[in-house]
Every structure is written in C-alpha cells, then in structure tokens.
C-alpha cells in the first residue's frame, strides 16, 4: 500500500508531465500532504468478523460491514476537519458551505455515524438530506466522508489474504461491499479484474455485463479510447454509467488502483462531456 507521501509524489509527477491535469489533481496533492503520517488517525477502527470468512463470502456477504467499524467521534471529526481544510483551500467554491458542514458536525446537527454509513453503503438519502440542510453540494459531503473511509479500509484490506475471496464473482467488493472504481483485462483472454472504489481490493469478475446495472445486451455495451495509453472507457448505454479499464495483455500491470484512477482523469473528463457518469 503506497503511503500518502508516495501518492503525493505520484500526483505531482502526473501534474508536471501533464500540466492540463493540474487543475483537477492539485487537491489530491494537497490532501495527501495533509494526511501523511495521519493514516492511523481517522478515528475509524475496523474489526474483521469472528464468523468464518469463507461462510460470509459463500453467502455473498462482504467481509466488512459498517457495524464492524468503531468510531472515535473526536478523532474522526478532527480528520474530517483536515479534509475540509484542504477542500476549502483548494476549491473554487464551497468554502462557506464547507464551514457550515464543519459546524453542523461539531454541534451534532449533522449525524456523523449516519453519514459515514451512508457514504460506505452508497445510500444517497442521508447524504442528500444533509446537503439540503447544510446547503452544500452533495459531492462535497461525499468527498469529505469518503476520504477517512478509504484511508482506514485500505489499511485493513491490505491485511486480508486475497485467497479468501478467490471465488468471488460479484459486482461489489468482497472486502467492504463498495462498487468498482477501475477494471483491468489481464492476459490474452482478457480476464476481467475489478478494483474497489473504497478499500482498493481487487477481485476477478468475468461476467459479460455491466457491473453496475447488470445489463448484458452486447448492443448496449460499448467503449471508447483516446488512441493513447493502455486504457479504455467501458460504457453501458442502458444505465449511462462507465468504468475505466486498463488493458494488460501480457499480465497484470500491478499499478495501485487509486493511482491508476488519478492518472487517467482525462478519461473521466471525456466521459462526462459525453453525458456518462461514473458507476456506483
């Protein structure tokens, strides 16, 4: 698992080599700098279940549920406060609304546990209700709360033996239940691997369908490339969602999913221009 300092170095290199990425990636450079050395201070303590992992996975249940996460309120608020500081410093808008979010959390008007649970489970209701009450963009709420979850769960996932979920073939992460952020087609036959949007675990997914809505009509599954690099964007016309995919015919490239995601931000911009949204 790359530390925050290594991730910052990667982002800074991407910005130097691709100046057009700077506007989008600068916030990540600042964020990694701010949390470097604080990866263990998210206020989130994750306990793997006592029940046999094989039984949970066989029943289609991810290893970690939100109930397995203990939250130290003060430490979690301090970490989220650091994230909000970066968002205020680097954002072009949202400064006042982010301050309202900070105040609402401190005074208990925004439910810390409910928001963490909602972001992990991708339950939009609590996020939208909070955004409406605080008068803030829901995307800013998600970013502020997803960051500590990613940091905490990435550390836990690193200690999970991938052999435990070798037979998992579902569209969501076997470790934390989050949807995929990236895919990789490995080898001559293009075995499909997905990587988690939260804990960055990877698993095999060889279903010939959209991993977000399940659509398997080949006429509604397409992709585009920029003509450069080993990536393409897989698109489902049925749900208008997309998934960035690395092509690795000679074997897995071994690139950390989070960094591969950031390095291909141009593909996100192009997909958004065409009216598609990231899968969830």
């Amino acid at each position: 698992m790359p530390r925050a300092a290594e991730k910052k170095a990667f982002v800074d290199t991407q910005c130097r080599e691709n100046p057009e990425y700077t506007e989008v990636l600068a916030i990540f450079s600042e964020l990694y700098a701010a949390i470097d050395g604080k990866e263990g201070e998210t206020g989130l303590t994750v306990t793997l279940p006592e029940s046999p992992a094989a039984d949970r996975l066989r029943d289609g249940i991810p290893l970690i549920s939100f109930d397995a996460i203990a939250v130290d309120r003060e430490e979690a608020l301090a970490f989220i406060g650091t994230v909000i500081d970066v968002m205020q410093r680097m954002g072009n808008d949202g400064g006042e609304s982010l301050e309202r979010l900070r105040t609402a959390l401190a005074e208990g008007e925004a439910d810390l546990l409910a928001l963490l649970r909602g972001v992990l489970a991708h339950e939009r209701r609590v996020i939208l209700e909070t955004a409406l009450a605080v008068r803030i963009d829901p995307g800013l709420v998600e970013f502020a709360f997803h960051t500590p979850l990613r940091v905490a769960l990435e550390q836990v996932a690193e200690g999970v033996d991938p052999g435990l979920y070798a037979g998992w073939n579902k569209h969501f992460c076997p470790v934390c239940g989050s949807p995929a952020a990236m895919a990789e087609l490995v080898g001559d036959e293009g075995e499909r691997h997905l990587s988690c949007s939260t804990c960055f675990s990877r698993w095999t997914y060889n279903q010939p369908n959209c991993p977000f809505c399940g659509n398997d009509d080949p006429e509604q599954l397409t992709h585009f490339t920029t003509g450069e690099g080993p990536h393409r964007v897989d698109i489902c016309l049925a749900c208008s969602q997309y998934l960035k995919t690395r092509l690795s015919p000679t074997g897995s490239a071994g690139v950390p999913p989070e960094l591969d995601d950031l390095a291909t931000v141009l593909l996100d911009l192009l997909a958004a221009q065409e009216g598609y949204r990231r899968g969830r």
Side-chain angles (χ1 to χ4, degrees):
M1 177 188 74
R3 290 185 57 83
E6 296 173 87
K7 295 176 181 180
K8 173 177 167 44
F10 177 88
V11 170
D12 290 346
T13 298
Q14 289 296 314
C15 291
R16 285 194 302 272
E17 295 179 351
N18 305 279
E20 66 274 21
Y21 291 3
T22 301
E23 182 176 355
V24 177
L25 295 183
I27 187 172
F28 292 98
S29 177
E30 289 295 312
L31 179 63
Y32 293 141
I35 66 175
D36 183 36
K38 300 179 181 178
E39 290 92 338
E41 300 174 15
T42 61
L44 310 182
T45 302
V46 184
T47 303
L48 291 173
E50 295 181 1
S51 58
D55 291 347
R56 291 179 64 89
L57 294 169
R58 185 175 57 250
D59 293 338
I61 303 172
L63 293 177
I64 296 171
S65 66
F66 186 78
D67 293 336
I69 303 177
V71 180
D72 180 315
R73 176 179 172 79
E74 294 306 314
E75 192 170 47
L77 287 178
F79 190 92
I80 292 170
T82 297
V83 177
I84 289 175
D85 288 341
V86 173
M87 295 169 71
Q88 288 179 312
R89 189 164 64 250
M90 301 301 297
N92 295 323
D93 51 35
E96 293 183 0
S97 60
L98 284 164
E99 197 59 35
R100 289 195 296 270
L101 176 62
R102 189 201 305 271
T103 300
L105 287 167
E107 297 180 354
E109 296 173 0
D111 191 328
L112 173 66
L113 293 179
L115 283 165
L116 286 167
R117 181 190 296 273
V119 170
L120 179 61
H122 290 263
E123 296 173 353
R124 299 284 294 168
R125 181 184 59 80
V126 66
I127 298 168
L128 294 175
E129 288 177 351
T130 300
L132 182 62
V134 177
R135 289 175 289 129
I136 187 173
D137 185 325
L140 297 179
V141 178
E142 286 189 272
F143 187 90
F145 281 82
H146 201 197
T147 299
L149 286 165
R150 292 174 104 181
V151 173
L153 290 173
E154 182 181 16
Q155 294 178 79
V156 175
E158 188 182 36
V160 175
D161 179 3
L164 286 176
Y165 50 84
W168 185 268
N169 197 28
K170 298 187 180 297
H171 66 281
F172 52 89
C173 175
V175 177
C176 73
S178 296
M182 294 283 293
E184 184 175 23
L185 298 181
V186 179
D188 292 336
E189 297 184 2
E191 183 177 73
R192 192 184 196 186
H193 296 179
L194 301 182
S195 61
C196 178
S197 57
T198 301
C199 73
F200 311 113
S201 296
R202 304 191 204 209
W203 70 99
T204 302
Y205 183 79
N206 283 323
Q207 302 290 342
N209 62 13
C210 169
F212 305 115
C213 75
N215 168 47
D216 60 1
D217 180 354
E219 293 188 0
Q220 292 189 304
L221 297 171
T222 185
H223 66 267
F224 74 79
T225 69
T226 62
E228 299 179 3
H231 295 87
R232 74 183 193 194
V233 178
D234 290 332
I235 295 168
C236 176
L237 300 179
C239 66
S240 297
Q241 298 184 92
Y242 72 89
L243 180 67
K244 294 185 294 186
T245 299
R246 171 180 279 270
L247 308 178
S248 303
T250 60
S252 178
V255 179
E258 182 181 12
L259 302 185
D260 206 20
D261 191 8
L262 292 175
T264 52
V265 65
L266 175 62
L267 297 179
D268 292 297
L269 299 177
L270 293 174
Q273 288 175 3
E274 295 300 318
Y276 301 110
R277 65 185 189 277
R278 288 194 68 142
R280 62 173 64 222

